[in-house]
Amino acid sequence: MQAAPVRATPIPTFTDALRAVESLLLSSGQRTARRNAWTSVQEDRRRAKDRVEAQRVLEQTFTTARL
């Protein structure tokens, strides 16, 4: 029984392929701006999720305190 051959280079992911296309189509400044915008979107989503969780905890605490 032989072991499967090991690849010297990993198979590129879809994200890697998109980044390669991005580097061909966009200038450095545009790439930086797009990545900064995406990071901002992700941070906004995280803060929104935290707000929803905090609201849920407050409502649960208030309901428990009233009983």
Side-chain angles (χ1 to χ4, degrees), residues 10 16 22 27 32 37 59:
D16 293 336
E22 174 191 57
S27 71
T32 301
E59 288 173 355

Side-chain angles (χ1 to χ4, degrees), residues 1-66:
M1 191 174 210
Q2 292 183 350
V6 178
R7 290 180 58 96
T9 58
I11 298 172
T13 64
F14 184 70
T15 303
D16 293 336
L18 286 178
R19 286 204 174 126
V21 170
E22 174 191 57
S23 69
L24 292 173
L25 298 177
L26 300 177
S27 71
S28 172
Q30 289 173 321
R31 281 195 310 271
T32 301
R34 189 194 59 78
R35 287 187 182 144
N36 287 345
W38 180 242
T39 300
S40 180
V41 166
Q42 290 176 316
E43 185 64 21
D44 288 345
R45 288 177 179 173
R46 187 194 60 77
R47 282 193 300 265
K49 183 179 173 184
D50 289 347
R51 279 193 304 274
V52 168
E53 179 64 17
Q55 182 68 30
R56 186 190 65 76
V57 169
L58 287 172
E59 288 173 355
Q60 186 177 20
T61 302
F62 179 72
T63 302
T64 304
R66 289 181 62 191

